[in-house]
């Protein structure tokens, strides 16, 4: 049960880290931010920027949902399986992103790519641990219920 609380918290922390990393990446390189703003002003990439910003917000909201659900279940509250489905989908997309990073790199050099892959693997491990811990906690709950009854 404690593993659910810890893993759920880790999922949210990795989501926050992704946002901080992205913001810092663009703030520390005025050329990148300037290029994006200029392209957005030209109307070329405005829809893409909006879609990417929405994806980042949705990702964070999903991670918060997973975190709160896992922490609640870890503390003994009854939770449905929907958050585990969301966790599985996020894990799938995380694994796909890792594959893309490995195949194509991050575009910012080898060190940045290696660090990104390590962080993404850690985030994926937290998502997988939420799923495994939830299934194990539910099995233990059923076993203890069967033993009592």
């Amino acid at each position: 049960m404690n593993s659910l609380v810890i893993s759920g918290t880790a999922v949210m922390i990795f989501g926050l880290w992704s946002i901080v990393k992205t913001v810092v990446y663009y703030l520390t390189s005025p050329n990148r931010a300037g290029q994006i703003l200029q392209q957005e002003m030209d109307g070329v990439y405005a829809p893409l920027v909006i879609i990417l910003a929405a994806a980042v917000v949705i990702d964070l909201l999903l991670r918060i949902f997973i975190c709160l659900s896992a922490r609640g279940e870890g503390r003994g509250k009854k939770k449905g399986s929907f958050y585990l489905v969301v966790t599985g989908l996020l894990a799938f997309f995380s694994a796909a992103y890792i594959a893309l990073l490995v195949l194509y790199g991050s575009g910012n050099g080898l060190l940045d790519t290696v660090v990104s892959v390590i962080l993404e693997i850690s985030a994926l491990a937290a998502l997988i641990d939420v799923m495994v811990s939830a299934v194990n906690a539910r099995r233990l709950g059923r076993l203890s219920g069967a033993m009592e009854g």
Side-chain angles (χ1 to χ4, degrees):
M1 295 290 227
N2 197 27
S3 179
L4 267 172
V5 175
I6 294 168
S7 296
T9 303
V11 167
M12 187 173 64
I13 289 172
F14 280 116
L16 293 172
W17 170 249
S18 294
I19 289 175
V20 168
K21 179 180 74 168
T22 302
V23 169
V24 168
Y25 175 75
Y26 286 107
L27 288 179
T28 58
S29 179
N31 290 340
R32 285 186 206 111
Q35 289 171 349
I36 289 174
L37 289 174
Q38 182 60 43
Q39 290 172 346
E40 185 175 338
M41 290 175 154
D42 294 340
V44 176
Y45 289 103
L48 181 60
V49 170
I50 292 169
I51 290 170
L52 288 175
V56 168
V57 170
I58 290 169
D59 179 70
L60 181 62
L61 291 175
L62 289 175
R63 288 177 187 275
I64 290 171
F65 170 69
I66 292 168
C67 171
L68 295 176
S69 297
R71 290 174 57 87
E73 187 166 359
R75 291 189 173 130
K77 295 180 183 172
K78 183 82 172 145
K79 294 290 177 182
S81 296
F82 180 70
Y83 89 93
L84 294 176
V85 172
V86 173
T87 305
L89 286 172
L90 216 53
F92 172 78
F93 289 123
S94 181
Y97 181 61
I98 292 168
L100 288 173
L101 277 173
V102 169
L103 291 174
Y104 300 107
S106 67
N108 299 315
L110 181 61
L111 181 62
D112 186 61
T113 300
V114 169
V115 170
S116 294
V117 167
I118 290 170
L119 286 171
E120 287 300 322
I121 288 173
S122 301
L124 177 61
L127 289 166
I128 291 170
D129 193 48
V130 165
M131 292 186 294
V132 169
S133 296
V135 168
N136 288 339
R138 290 175 183 192
R139 281 186 187 155
L140 285 173
R142 277 184 278 181
L143 285 175
S144 67
M147 294 173 110
E148 291 173 1

